[in-house]
Amino acid sequence: MVAAQVIGVGSYAPERRLDNAELSRTVETSDAWIRERTGIGERRIAAPDEAASDLATAAAKRALAVAGLQPNDIDMVMVATVTGDRPLPATAAIVQRKLGITNRCGAFDLAAACAGFVYGLGLGNALIGQGQCRHVLVIGVEVLSRFVNWEDRTTCVLFGDGAGAVVLGPGAAEAPAGIDGVHLHCQGSMSHLLTIPAGGSEKPASGASLAEREHYVRMEGQDVFRVAVKELASACLSAIDALQMTTSDVDWVVAHQANERILEAVAQRSGIPFERFFRNIARYGNTSSASIPLALDEAYRSGSLEPGSKLVLCALGAGIAWGSCVLRWQLPKPTPQPTRQRGESPSESVA
Ligand code: UT7
C-alpha cells in the first residue's frame, strides 16, 4: 500500500488580535493568570464577515500553492471542524465552491473536535493508500469565538480562530511512508467533560437555551487536563513504538496547542525533551481542529522542518477523542517570502 505524504501546507489566521490585557478589561482575569496557567498571550478573532469556510479557503489556497497544484487536481476535500458555517451543507462543500473546484470530487466535514485534523490525516492516508484518491485536501478550521461565552472567564480566555491545511499526495514507493503509525481513539464515557450543550438535535438553539447560554463551550478543565496528559503521552509513544522508533528519533512533536502546561507534562511523561515540542499557543490560543495544521505550517515556514524530519503529531479534545501519528516530512525548506501583506499569518498573503 502506498502511504501518503504531505506535499503542501498552508494556514490562515484572522487579522484581529485580542490580547490578554484587552480581554482583562471585559472579564475578570489577568494577563499573569492566563500566561501562567495556559501560556496564551493573545488569540485571533474572525471578522464579522468571515466564516469558517473563508478561513479554510485561504489556508487551502496556500497549501495548494506550495503543492504546485490547481484546485481541480484535488480528489477529496475534508474539513475538520466543530464550528462550520451552517448545520447544512457541509463546510467542505462551501470550501470546494470557494476554491473553484468543479471536478465534483467528494467533500465532507469531520467532527472529532481538537483531534479532527489527526483523524483527517489518518483517513486521507487510507484513501490514498487504497488508490481511491490521489490528492486529498485536509483542512482544520475553527471560529470558536462565536461559540464561547465571553462572560465566562474559565473558557473565553482559552480559545481562538484560525485554519490550517495540508495537501496529501502519494509517496514514492521506495521512500519511507510519509504518514504512519496512525492511532485514533475515543472514550465516549467522558463526552460530558467538554461540550456545547445546545444547538444540536438534543437541544435546538431555541430562545430559552440561548438565554441560558447553552450553545457555548463548557469544560471541566481539570478533568480534561488530566486525561490529556495521560492519553497524549501514551499516544505519542504508541505512534513511535509502531514504527520501531525511539523517543530520540523524534525531531519535533507537533501537538494540539491547548495548554503549555499540558505539553510540559506530556514531555515529562513521554520522555521526549520539551524543546522538541513545537509551540505557538502564545499567539493563537486553542484553535481546536486548526491547531496542528497551523503549527505545522508555522514550523515549515520558519525553516524548522527539513526533508527527513520525523514528526509526532498528537491531539486530544471533546469526545474525549484523541489520536497520534508519525509524519516523515518530505517538503524542502521554503524559499524566503517577501514581507507579509496583511500581517496576519505565518503564511504568505492570500493568493
Ligand atoms: O482543547 C481541548 C482540550 N482542552 C484542554 O486540554 C484544556 C485542559 N484544561 C486546562 O487547560 C486547564 O484546566 C484550564 C486552563 C482550563 C484551567 O486551569 P487550572 O489551572 O486547571 O485552573 P482551575 O480551573 O483549577 O482554576 C483555578 C482558579 C479558580 O479559582 P479558585 O476556585 O481557586 O478561587 C478559578 O476560578 O483560577 C480561577 N480562574 C481564573 N482566574 C483568572 C479560572 N479561570 C480564570 C481566569 N482568570 N481566566
Side-chain angles (χ1 to χ4, degrees):
M1 191 166 105
V2 177
Q5 60 172 283
V6 171
I7 60 170
V9 60
S11 66
Y12 173 82
E15 203 166 346
R16 162 106 166 91
R17 294 162 198 259
L18 174 60
D19 66 18
N20 295 343
E22 185 181 348
L23 198 48
S24 63
R25 289 197 283 276
T26 57
V27 67
E28 198 187 334
T29 188
S30 65
D31 178 57
W33 191 95
I34 301 170
R35 280 185 194 276
E36 192 188 314
R37 306 308 296 166
T38 71
I40 299 168
E42 63 180 29
R43 66 287 294 143
R44 302 297 184 91
I45 306 293
D49 62 349
E50 279 183 318
S53 63
D54 297 307
L55 276 57
T57 301
K61 281 184 180 174
R62 290 166 172 165
L64 282 167
V66 171
L69 293 179
Q70 296 302 313
N72 276 327
D73 293 327
I74 295 297
D75 303 311
M76 183 67 74
V77 181
M78 251 182 242
V79 174
T81 188
V82 291
T83 57
D85 288 18
R86 304 171 175 197
L88 273 177
T91 298
I94 301 168
V95 171
Q96 190 206 50
R97 170 172 63 77
K98 289 184 175 174
L99 284 173
I101 298 175
T102 53
N103 63 11
R104 308 202 297 174
C105 71
F108 68 98
D109 290 358
L110 194 164
C114 307
F117 182 77
V118 177
Y119 270 64
L121 284 187
L123 202 47
N125 192 35
L127 287 171
I128 289 172
Q130 287 165 6
Q132 208 170 323
C133 293
R134 184 166 176 79
H135 297 128
V136 177
L137 186 55
V138 185
I139 304 171
V141 61
E142 302 294 357
V143 185
L144 279 155
S145 62
R146 309 233 164 97
F147 296 87
V148 293
N149 177 355
W150 288 100
E151 292 172 9
D152 174 9
R153 69 177 185 174
T154 68
T155 51
C156 76
V157 303
L158 305 174
F159 297 101
D161 302 337
V166 295
V167 180
L168 302 181
E174 67 279 8
I179 297 168
D180 214 339
V182 178
H183 286 73
L184 305 174
H185 302 280
C186 183
Q187 193 166 334
S189 60
M190 293 192 281
S191 57
H192 59 286
L193 293 180
L194 179 42
T195 176
I196 298 178
S201 58
E202 182 192 348
K203 272 192 192 177
S206 66
S209 59
L210 284 175
E212 291 161 18
R213 299 184 190 279
E214 285 202 314
H215 65 307
Y216 294 137
V217 173
R218 286 185 186 180
M219 178 166 67
E220 301 297 331
Q222 289 189 355
D223 291 341
V224 178
F225 192 106
R226 270 191 290 274
V227 68
V229 172
K230 176 170 172 270
E231 298 301 353
L232 286 175
S234 138
C236 283
L237 295 176
S238 300
I240 292 168
D241 286 350
L243 273 67
Q244 282 90 47
M245 287 165 49
T246 67
T247 51
S248 53
D249 295 321
V250 177
D251 296 302
W252 287 105
V253 177
V254 182
H256 170 48
Q257 311 280 305
N259 187 324
E260 196 153 84
R261 288 188 299 128
I262 292 179
L263 301 182
E264 267 170 330
V266 170
Q268 206 171 27
R269 205 171 168 128
S270 66
I272 305 172
F274 187 48
E275 308 80 70
R276 291 196 218 142
F277 281 65
F278 189 84
R279 283 165 281 146
N280 65 359
I281 189 171
R283 281 172 288 115
Y284 300 105
N286 180 346
T287 57
S288 189
S289 305
S291 144
I292 288 186
L294 197 54
L296 205 53
D297 186 46
E298 199 161 84
Y300 165 69
R301 309 256 168 196
S302 67
S304 303
L305 308 181
E306 318 206 10
S309 292
K310 293 188 196 73
L311 280 56
V312 171
L313 271 44
C314 61
L316 175 142
I320 293 290
W322 68 98
S324 62
C325 68
V326 170
L327 175 57
R328 289 191 186 85
W329 195 254
Q330 284 159 5
L331 278 173
K333 285 190 180 196
T335 46
Q337 296 292 326
T339 316
R340 291 179 214 144
Q341 286 181 10
R342 296 179 63 192
E344 56 11 296
S345 155
S347 314
E348 76 275 22
S349 56
V350 187

